[in-house]
Amino acid sequence: MFLQVANTPMMLNNQFQLTHKFNFMSITHAIGRRKTSIARVYLKKGKGNVSVNKRDLTNYFATTMLQYKVNQPFTLTETLSAYNVKVNVYGGGINGQAESIRLAISRALCTIDEEYRPLLKKEGLMTRDPRTVSYTHLRAHETRGNL
């Protein structure tokens, strides 16, 4: 786990009460969304290990195209082996999950260093894709059918 808890006693109404302080050890958290998938990303200084839902990146995303999408912010900023990444992602398909992870990693890198923002924005990695699945209308057999 990434968190460490330091217990410090605190005096309140002449009684000692135990309070918790969290030492986040420079963990950066960001959220990315695409279609119906939501990704929570935790970045920490490390050797470049990426785990998605407690599985390795190559085990979770089998194709190299999806692995490239996830690692794209790191390759653009030349920080491929500088951070360990822990990802919790749910909803949607694997392509939407990969793109939501990419957005969350881009946002986390921008909170670490603002100089990455123009480089990532130029490649279109900082904008959320607003397209979602269109709903089916009442009494229509197709999504965009005649009403």
Side-chain angles (χ1 to χ4, degrees):
M1 190 84 186
F2 290 123
L3 300 177
Q4 284 184 346
V5 179
N7 296 328
T8 58
M10 181 177 170
M11 190 153 183
L12 182 67
N13 295 336
N14 293 333
Q15 295 177 350
F16 281 103
Q17 192 173 27
L18 198 61
T19 60
H20 298 287
K21 284 188 177 181
F22 292 100
N23 183 9
F24 288 100
M25 300 187 312
S26 69
I27 296 174
T28 305
H29 173 260
I31 295 177
R33 294 180 182 90
R34 171 75 169 100
K35 291 187 180 179
T36 57
S37 66
I38 299 172
R40 291 186 179 92
V41 170
Y42 302 93
L43 254 68
K44 180 183 174 184
K45 289 272 189 192
K47 298 179 181 177
N49 299 329
V50 179
S51 66
V52 181
N53 290 344
K54 298 180 182 178
R55 289 166 52 187
D56 191 34
L57 176 70
T58 57
N59 194 2
Y60 194 84
F61 294 115
T63 63
T64 57
M65 187 65 187
L66 296 175
Q67 294 170 13
Y68 170 75
K69 283 184 180 183
V70 171
N71 287 326
Q72 192 175 6
F74 292 124
T75 55
L76 287 174
T77 57
E78 298 174 356
T79 57
L80 194 57
S81 62
Y83 297 101
N84 287 341
V85 183
K86 180 185 172 191
V87 180
N88 295 328
V89 64
Y90 62 92
I94 57 169
N95 190 36
Q97 286 183 353
E99 291 182 5
S100 65
I101 291 171
R102 179 176 67 180
L103 177 63
I105 289 173
S106 300
R107 287 179 175 173
L109 285 174
C110 285
T111 57
I112 290 173
D113 191 1
E114 279 293 324
E115 294 178 2
Y116 295 147
R117 187 171 185 84
L119 182 63
L120 294 171
K121 191 167 182 140
K122 180 182 171 186
E123 293 294 322
L125 301 182
M126 291 304 297
T127 56
R128 183 195 187 279
D129 194 357
R131 296 178 294 168
T132 58
V133 178
S134 180
Y135 66 93
T136 56
H137 300 284
L138 187 63
R139 292 185 300 271
H141 296 289
E142 297 176 0
T143 304
R144 298 174 188 266
N146 295 331
L147 300 175

